Amino acid sequence: MAAVHGVRALLSLHRSALFQRSFGLIPVQLTSTCLPTRLCSATTKRNKARPEQKNCNKSLLENLHLMGVDVEMARQRQPGVFRRKSLTNEQGLAEFLQSKGASSEEIASIISRFPRAITRSTEHLEERWELWRKILNTDSEMLSVLERSPESFFRSSDNKNFENIITFLTSLGFKTKDLQRLLVKAPRIFCGSLDLTRQKVNFLKDICVELGGTNPEQFTKTVLYKNVFIFSESIKRIRTNIDILRAYLGLGNSEMLAFIQGSAAKILVLSTEYLQNNLNSVELKMVSLGCQKADIQKLFYTYPVVLYISPATLSPKLECLLKVGIKVEQILETPRVLDYSTQNILGRLEQLQEVEYNFQKNGIGILDCSQKRFLAKMEKLKL
């Protein structure tokens, strides 16, 4: 019995030393005689008893605390990780990420937000990293994406699926620079199933054919370029949103085809409820300002992004513009002024009032320009 306790004590000592060494807590020099860490995590005939499993969980928690992981957050996000009876690889994960340039804080953050990362073997991590290197050029680029979206790297254990998705997207005409953009902007695309990815593409091709398009491949690529997050949403949502917009706008096939692969692509991923509620709210607001339905339809067609803006944000923007004498017709002609925050609009209006700017004579284009151009124009107006 004393011998068993002695082995456990030795394991505990080496485990603590390894983790403190990894994160710069003490300068421990390991030799080939060191025992591997967290042997108690492996399930054997001798350690199936409940007390041993509890000890293993406690050991895991101690290791994660040493690494600076927010264990409470990790438990809430993926509690199953803490009930595992098989080996976890937090030590190997930490060493792997450190070798790629990650700091201890970044590693702790990654595990806190996606604790399943500690279940991936070092061999799997190396293989996945090499696959990512086929798209991104440097370790720092890859770490940036991984730190922002750890799920994209650790969610799937199927490296072959990841490789198949790259092959499939390449077959659609996506070049390496396009894949880089996809991986940076919407990395979760690459951790979904190949079948679902193929279904989304086929769905878009079908939409093109349904609307009389003659080049489904180009249509699909154009839409995905406009909004890669379409890959992340359900076909049902996208189809419903298309139907809602077409019914309201009363567009013919060719007009709808152009609309979808134009500015409308950006709003196809909105929650259907949110889209419908905003459509109704904008309509009510514009009618109250004297607009006809044709005016509102034109607004949605030329500037569908207005449906992204919540009613609570849109109303103050419109009111501050109308208050200084700008006509609603001018807003309809230059709807991009609504892109800017209410604070930004108010600040510009205040500066323009100081120079007695005449919106009826000069228009409102000055409100729809970069800050640098706006300041340059203000300097000329003050002369």
Side-chain angles (χ1 to χ4, degrees):
M1 196 68 178
V4 173
H5 286 299
V7 171
R8 288 179 180 168
L10 184 57
L11 286 170
S12 178
L13 176 61
H14 282 291
R15 184 188 311 116
S16 176
L18 279 169
F19 274 90
Q20 294 184 60
R21 184 283 310 263
S22 294
F23 291 89
L25 298 175
I26 57 174
V28 178
Q29 182 68 39
L30 298 179
T31 68
S32 59
T33 60
C34 286
L35 293 171
T37 63
R38 297 202 66 245
L39 290 179
C40 64
S41 292
T43 302
T44 68
K45 292 181 179 179
R46 290 177 176 266
N47 68 9
K48 285 185 178 180
R50 187 176 297 273
E52 291 298 320
Q53 292 171 11
K54 287 183 178 179
N55 288 339
C56 291
N57 289 338
K58 182 179 180 181
S59 172
L60 171 60
L61 293 176
E62 288 175 351
N63 290 341
L64 295 181
H65 278 301
L66 279 173
M67 297 168 73
V69 172
D70 186 334
V71 175
E72 190 60 33
M73 177 192 292
R75 278 181 178 277
Q76 291 177 357
R77 297 205 169 190
Q78 292 170 347
V81 172
F82 298 87
R83 295 193 295 267
R84 286 176 62 89
K85 299 177 183 179
S86 56
L87 183 69
T88 53
N89 189 36
E90 59 272 18
Q91 171 69 21
L93 173 65
E95 292 179 345
F96 172 80
L97 292 176
Q98 282 180 324
S99 72
K100 305 302 181 184
S103 66
S104 58
E105 291 79 10
E106 288 170 335
I107 295 169
S109 174
I110 288 169
I111 298 175
S112 299
R113 290 177 291 127
F114 200 82
R116 200 185 303 164
I118 67 174
T119 68
R120 304 302 179 213
S121 69
T122 302
E123 292 75 14
H124 167 86
L125 297 173
E126 292 285 3
E127 186 178 346
R128 176 58 61 91
W129 197 266
E130 287 305 310
L131 289 174
W132 275 41
R133 280 302 295 267
K134 291 182 178 180
I135 301 176
L136 299 178
N137 297 320
T138 65
D139 287 350
S140 60
E141 286 180 306
M142 294 162 69
L143 279 175
S144 176
V145 176
L146 192 156
E147 204 279 330
R148 178 168 53 85
S149 177
E151 179 183 4
S152 61
F153 190 85
F154 297 108
R155 178 184 175 188
S156 173
S157 61
D158 189 350
N159 283 336
K160 186 62 178 177
N161 181 73
F162 182 93
E163 194 168 12
N164 288 339
I165 288 178
I166 293 176
T167 302
F168 176 65
L169 292 175
T170 301
S171 73
L172 297 176
F174 285 88
K175 307 298 183 184
T176 300
K177 64 178 182 179
D178 304 322
L179 296 176
Q180 289 175 347
R181 178 172 170 270
L182 287 175
L183 189 54
V184 170
K185 292 192 65 176
R188 292 184 182 182
I189 291 171
F190 295 88
C191 60
S193 76
L194 176 61
D195 286 342
L196 284 176
T197 303
R198 186 179 283 114
Q199 286 176 30
K200 301 283 177 59
V201 169
N202 289 337
F203 164 73
L204 290 174
K205 289 181 178 179
D206 290 343
I207 289 291
C208 178
V209 173
E210 178 185 316
L211 295 173
T214 57
N215 193 338
E217 288 77 15
Q218 185 57 46
F219 170 84
T220 299
K221 189 174 180 181
T222 300
V223 173
L224 291 173
Y225 263 54
K226 296 281 186 178
N227 191 350
V228 296
F229 296 104
I230 287 175
F231 272 127
S232 305
E233 298 301 337
S234 71
I235 290 174
K236 180 181 178 181
R237 171 183 288 190
I238 298 168
R239 162 58 82 177
T240 303
N241 287 347
I242 288 174
D243 291 343
I244 289 173
L245 291 168
R246 187 173 191 183
Y248 186 87
L249 297 175
L251 300 176
N253 284 351
S254 60
E255 292 175 309
M256 192 65 192
L257 192 68
F259 185 52
I260 293 174
Q261 61 186 326
S263 52
K266 297 179 180 179
I267 64 171
L268 295 181
V269 297
L270 288 176
S271 155
T272 298
E273 182 181 4
Y274 185 86
L275 176 67
Q276 185 68 69
N277 288 342
N278 277 13
L279 191 151
N280 294 337
S281 297
V282 174
E283 181 182 38
L284 286 173
K285 181 64 178 179
M286 301 310 288
V287 167
S288 73
L289 296 176
C291 295
Q292 302 298 314
K293 184 170 182 178
D295 298 324
I296 304 169
Q297 289 174 321
K298 181 181 177 182
L299 172 64
F300 289 153
Y301 185 76
T302 58
Y303 185 66
V305 179
V306 72
L307 294 171
Y308 256 117
I309 308 173
S310 70
T313 302
L314 180 62
S315 289
K317 288 184 180 183
L318 290 170
E319 294 300 331
C320 69
L321 291 168
L322 297 171
K323 190 175 181 179
V324 297
I326 294 173
K327 304 296 183 183
V328 68
E329 292 79 12
Q330 291 178 291
I331 298 174
L332 291 174
E333 288 298 322
T334 314
R336 278 176 50 88
V337 296
L338 300 173
D339 274 349
Y340 301 90
S341 68
T342 304
Q343 182 178 3
N344 184 295
I345 293 172
L346 286 170
R348 291 189 176 190
L349 291 176
E350 184 177 340
Q351 294 180 64
L352 289 167
Q353 285 181 310
E354 290 177 357
V355 296
E356 299 181 345
Y357 189 84
N358 188 326
F359 291 107
Q360 298 309 308
K361 179 181 177 181
N362 302 313
I364 66 172
I366 192 171
L367 295 172
D368 178 27
C369 62
S370 67
Q371 182 67 6
K372 182 178 180 180
R373 287 187 61 197
F374 176 77
L375 293 176
K377 288 184 178 183
M378 286 301 302
E379 288 299 319
K380 291 182 179 179
L381 290 172
K382 289 178 181 178
L383 295 177

